Amino acid sequence: MGSQKRPNPGKAASALVRPPAWGVVVVRNGAITFANGAFEGLCSTVTGPFARELPAPSARDKPRTLPEIALAGAPVVTPGNERVSVEQRYRSIAEDRWVDVLFSHAHVDVGARGARGGRGDLVVAVFQDVTERMRGDAALLAAEAALDRQERLRAIGELSAGIVHDVSNTLGAIRLRLSVLARDAACMSSQGANITALERIVREGTAILQKLQRLGSDDDDKAPEPLDMAEVVSAAIEVAQSGLRHRANHEGVDIRIENTVPRLPKVLAWRDDLLRIFVNLLINARDAMPLGGCIRVSGARSGARIAVHVEDEGTGIPAAVLPRIFDSYFTTKGGGGTGMGLATVRRAMARLGGTVSVSNHARGGAVYTLSFPVRRRKPAAAVASPAPSSPAAGSPASASPNASTSASTSASASASASASASASDRRDRDHLLNPPD
């Protein structure tokens, strides 16, 4: 048998595990005297210029190309400086790429080797593309932050279970007292409207507590239903009014609510979600007006969507804060806020197929805009007309052609009147569901 060529284990290993490509540059007397192929490849693949990130740049630092970085960093480790090595990090201005550079000083005696130049000081700059490492670190931090948020939600969920139990007992006691008052004719004659409103508020509060108990889950056994936007907004205002009155009585701040939401096409939604959305926005508007003012709620239809605006006369939202205003746990109220109110609004709107946005009003204050899809109606099924039947011989119809004609005319008139009434009913229904813009 012929001899077989033995594999080179070192070569096989290098094919499987490639060492990092380090670009090496040698700087001597203010000039680059050597650059390896890895450095040249780095210059051609990573777009510059680069700005220094670490250590923190000074006012004199300016963006540089990789060769300029090598020349500018060399004097830092030349004789006369205490440091013999310095590490810096640069980031590409054109793209998210990072490069680490290690500058090292070396004193060599090249004269002993017979080369020109005799003794000299060299600076060796080693460049390494650390983009993948930086991206991996960023992904790890994002994953850790997500786990931290999940843990906080889990803890909040556990705490909310106890809170729901205690507050539900309190609401149950209030409901019992209200039922006693509702059976008193004298109380109902003088305070019937208030007792009915309190009963509704207690029911809404119980529903909100049940939502809190299912914190972190959007599952709901109930199907969405067509809802009147004006009615839901009025109910939310009634729920929020108690907080407004409390602030007016204890802080001497006058806060008013103007509700001009007209009759609009119905939206397909969960009532609890809609109520929570508007209550959160009303409370947020109240807190944004430390000196009091007016909260305006308006609405209109635009094509296949309904827009509802909630405006306040507060201090507005700083431009730097606007992109984060709907983030979970982000608050501008300091220790007085949880950072969950507007985040809840955004999640609930997404569940309903809608959107929420915010902007600052020209005259001051913030404007929150809610956009809902209009409920689509199912097309009415076409009613097939029955085929005319031939009268049998000897039947009254055949014996009396005039009677047949008269009956046919009467039936046609009746069918025409019925079809006209149905069309009129449909027009009335369409007008109620979709009033003209």
Side-chain angles (χ1 to χ4, degrees), residues 91-218:
R91 181 175 182 173
S92 170
I93 295 177
E95 55 181 337
D96 284 338
R97 298 288 293 270
W98 289 264
V99 174
D100 279 0
V101 189
L102 176 65
F103 297 95
S104 300
H105 170 254
H107 184 78
V108 297
D109 185 0
V110 296
R113 299 182 180 179
R116 291 179 299 173
R119 302 172 64 85
D121 293 292
L122 305 178
V123 173
V124 178
V126 179
F127 290 75
Q128 183 182 6
D129 185 353
V130 295
T131 300
E132 293 303 322
R133 189 179 75 193
M134 294 292 293
R135 291 173 179 170
D137 291 346
L140 179 61
L141 289 175
E144 291 175 348
L147 289 174
D148 180 62
R149 286 194 297 269
Q150 290 178 2
E151 181 61 24
R152 291 173 68 178
L153 280 175
R154 185 194 62 79
I156 291 174
E158 292 179 355
L159 290 173
S160 69
I163 295 173
V164 167
H165 179 268
D166 295 339
V167 179
S168 294
N169 288 340
T170 302
L171 290 178
I174 295 174
R175 191 184 305 109
L176 289 175
R177 300 301 188 276
L178 288 174
S179 65
V180 173
L181 294 176
R183 290 194 296 270
D184 190 316
C187 285
M188 289 301 293
S189 63
S190 60
Q191 298 293 332
N194 289 331
I195 291 174
T196 302
L198 285 173
E199 287 178 333
R200 183 170 62 254
I201 291 172
V202 169
R203 287 196 301 270
E204 302 290 3
T206 302
I208 291 173
L209 285 175
Q210 291 171 350
K211 288 283 185 180
L212 180 62
Q213 197 169 25
R214 296 192 296 269
L215 185 65
S217 172
D218 284 336

Side-chain angles (χ1 to χ4, degrees), residues 50-52 55-64 68-69 72-73 75-76 81 83 88 90:
F50 297 81
R52 195 174 80 188
S58 64
R60 294 177 298 174
D61 285 324
K62 61 180 182 180
R64 295 182 170 93
E68 290 172 344
I69 291 173
V76 179
N81 292 313
R83 294 174 293 182
Q88 298 177 349
Y90 289 83

Side-chain angles (χ1 to χ4, degrees), residues 2 16 23 40 100 166 217 319 351 353 374:
L16 295 174
E40 294 176 355
D100 279 0
D166 295 339
S217 172
R351 186 184 183 203
V374 174

Side-chain angles (χ1 to χ4, degrees), residues 251-327:
E251 300 181 20
V253 175
D254 181 27
I255 297 179
R256 306 175 311 281
I257 299 179
E258 286 185 7
N259 178 18
T260 59
V261 176
R263 189 173 186 180
L264 296 167
K266 294 185 177 182
V267 297
L268 197 63
W270 290 268
R271 179 181 172 82
D272 294 343
D273 283 357
L274 269 188
L275 193 69
R276 187 166 67 251
I277 287 169
F278 287 112
V279 169
N280 272 312
L281 289 180
L282 291 170
I283 292 174
N284 191 75
R286 176 202 68 185
D287 295 342
M289 300 190 298
L291 302 179
C294 182
I295 303 172
R296 295 178 178 86
V297 187
S298 59
R301 179 180 180 180
S302 178
R305 301 190 75 83
I306 289 175
V308 180
H309 308 280
V310 180
E311 307 178 34
D312 63 62
E313 295 179 345
T315 55
I317 303 173
V321 171
L322 279 173
R324 301 185 57 198
I325 199 68
F326 295 105
D327 290 354

